[in-house]
Every structure is written in C-alpha cells, then in structure tokens.
Amino acid sequence: MIRKVLIANRGEIAVRIIRACREMGILTVAVYSEADREAPELKKAVRKSDKAADKLDAAKDSYLNMERILSAALVTGADAVHPGFGFLSENSTFARRCQECHITWIGPSPEVMDRLGNKSEARNTMQAAGVPVIPG
C-alpha cells in the first residue's frame, strides 16, 4: 500500500494529485523549483501538500532531473512517485529508475511507454492485439 507520494510536477496538476491523495489518506510531498517559488499555483500546491522537498534549481534542473527527484523521494520517505503531466511522465527511463529504487511508479509501465511511444511499435502492438488500424 502506498503511504506517501512525491509529486514530480507543479501547479494545478500537483494540487489535483494532492487532493486525490488526501481523499485516499495518502501523504504527499511537493517538489518545487526556485524559479517557481513565488508562483501562486505553486504556493497553493506546496501549502496543500504534507511536505515540500527542499527547493530545487531552475526548472530544467529540477522537474526534469531524475536524480534530484529520486533523491527527494528517498530523503522524504516517499514510497511512490506521481509524475503528473509532461516533464517526466512519458519517460520510460525515469519509470525504470523509480522501480530500481523500489519506489512505486504511478503511471504506465516502462514497457508500455516504450511500445506505445513509438508509432511503428504501437501500430504493430495494436495489430497483434486484433485492434483494427487504418492502412498506411
């Protein structure tokens, strides 16, 4: 059972995930970038979360930095990571890294992301499953 989720996203997306976790009795950890520190939607997410990870650097060095996010998850005792939308949500390498660190990845498996993230592979997968596809 998941007890604490680190949300590797910001703003309204994080707020919605925090709300859903709270309804399920799951603690949350918000991460944030120094560049976003004064953003109203970030303040709302951080205020609503149970814990905030220490400030990270610029957005490209925080929300996209797999090592920093995994480190924040481990340091805060999060046993799961929710990537939100964008950033690392479609990154199969990040999903695998979470699994390697024994952190539950909330999202599609890395194998599914690899298969469906490639148009040719997705098409072949759907055909093999008997799903009709448009010729071409």
Side-chain angles (χ1 to χ4, degrees):
M1 171 140 172
I2 296 172
R3 297 176 327 275
K4 188 186 289 185
V5 174
L6 181 134
I7 300 149
N9 215 292
R10 61 185 177 187
E12 186 58 33
I13 293 164
V15 171
R16 289 175 187 217
I17 297 165
I18 291 165
R19 185 180 312 129
C21 287
R22 185 155 287 152
E23 287 175 8
M24 296 187 308
I26 299 171
L27 298 173
T28 56
V29 177
V31 295
Y32 64 97
S33 166
E34 182 62 25
D36 293 335
R37 182 179 207 126
E38 297 303 318
E41 61 278 359
L42 176 76
K43 286 182 178 181
K44 183 177 178 184
V46 170
R47 189 176 60 247
K48 288 184 174 287
S49 69
D50 297 293
K51 184 168 181 64
D54 288 337
K55 65 183 179 222
L56 303 171
D57 295 326
K60 71 179 181 67
D61 297 324
S62 54
Y63 304 109
L64 294 172
N65 188 314
M66 292 182 231
E67 298 308 314
R68 285 201 169 180
I69 291 173
L70 287 170
S71 177
L74 293 169
V75 167
T76 60
D79 52 353
V81 168
H82 191 305
F85 177 79
F87 293 121
L88 295 171
S89 66
E90 297 176 18
N91 188 313
S92 62
T93 301
F94 183 57
R96 276 190 191 85
R97 292 295 321 273
C98 287
Q99 292 174 346
E100 289 166 3
C101 292
H102 306 286
I103 297 171
T104 300
W105 167 257
I106 300 174
S109 72
E111 296 77 24
V112 167
M113 283 191 265
D114 287 339
R115 276 200 149 155
L116 298 181
N118 175 297
K119 289 180 184 180
S120 296
E121 185 66 27
R123 180 182 180 79
N124 293 339
T125 299
M126 293 301 105
Q127 286 175 325
V131 175
V133 297
I134 297 171

